[in-house]
Amino acid sequence: MGTRHFTSEEINLKLILVSGRTKEFHFAPSDSVAYITQYVYDNWPSEWVDEHRPETNILRLIYQGRFLHGSVTLSTLQLTAGSTTVMHLVMREQLPEPNSQEQVKDKAREEHCPNCCRIS
């Protein structure tokens, strides 16, 4: 993937593993969740060397209690460039299906990110 040059227009993502370990990455607002998880998978941090890295990329991001689908961009989430946003990074093969009751409760929230689903 090469060396990335960071600018003040990028978003600083602090990713937290289930173990509690963290690492900060910089991404453009136009970067998608699929790109971010692939980048992290391909550039697994040396600080996480003793963490289990899956054989295939099954990394998923959780933001504000919701799994993010691959097509979601950071700009869709209305994150502020130049600031730090915390997300959880987990290993999961498939995203959970939205719960029908949660769909009713969260209908108003869909305006912000229609590609999110609630963690059950």
Side-chain angles (χ1 to χ4, degrees):
M1 294 204 141
T3 304
R4 293 196 55 176
H5 299 282
F6 305 122
T7 68
S8 62
E9 297 299 314
E10 292 187 309
I11 295 168
N12 187 40
L13 283 187
K14 182 175 185 176
L15 301 181
I16 303 175
L17 298 176
V18 173
S19 66
R21 292 205 169 151
T22 64
K23 176 73 176 167
E24 293 187 13
F25 296 87
H26 295 85
F27 294 101
S30 60
D31 287 340
S32 69
V33 168
Y35 173 81
I36 293 167
T37 57
Q38 190 62 52
Y39 181 85
V40 173
Y41 181 81
D42 292 341
N43 298 278
W44 196 252
S46 59
E47 297 93 331
W48 295 353
V49 71
D50 58 339
E51 295 288 337
H52 171 72
R53 180 179 163 231
E55 290 183 24
T56 60
N57 184 4
I58 57 169
L59 300 177
R60 304 290 182 249
L61 290 177
I62 300 173
Y63 178 61
Q64 295 184 340
R66 296 172 181 267
F67 279 99
L68 301 177
H69 291 264
S71 61
V72 174
T73 64
L74 297 179
S75 61
T76 302
L77 299 171
Q78 300 176 348
L79 303 181
T80 306
S83 66
T84 300
T85 297
V86 177
M87 293 188 185
H88 292 267
L89 181 69
V90 298
M91 296 171 207
R92 186 169 182 148
E93 296 221 12
Q94 296 181 333
L95 294 178
E97 291 297 320
N99 178 321
S100 61
Q101 286 183 330
E102 292 298 329
Q103 286 176 340
V104 173
K105 289 179 186 177
D106 295 336
K107 193 170 187 176
R109 293 183 196 160
E110 288 180 1
E111 294 173 10
H112 294 289
C113 183
N115 297 317
C116 297
C117 57
R118 194 108 167 107
I119 299 174
S120 339

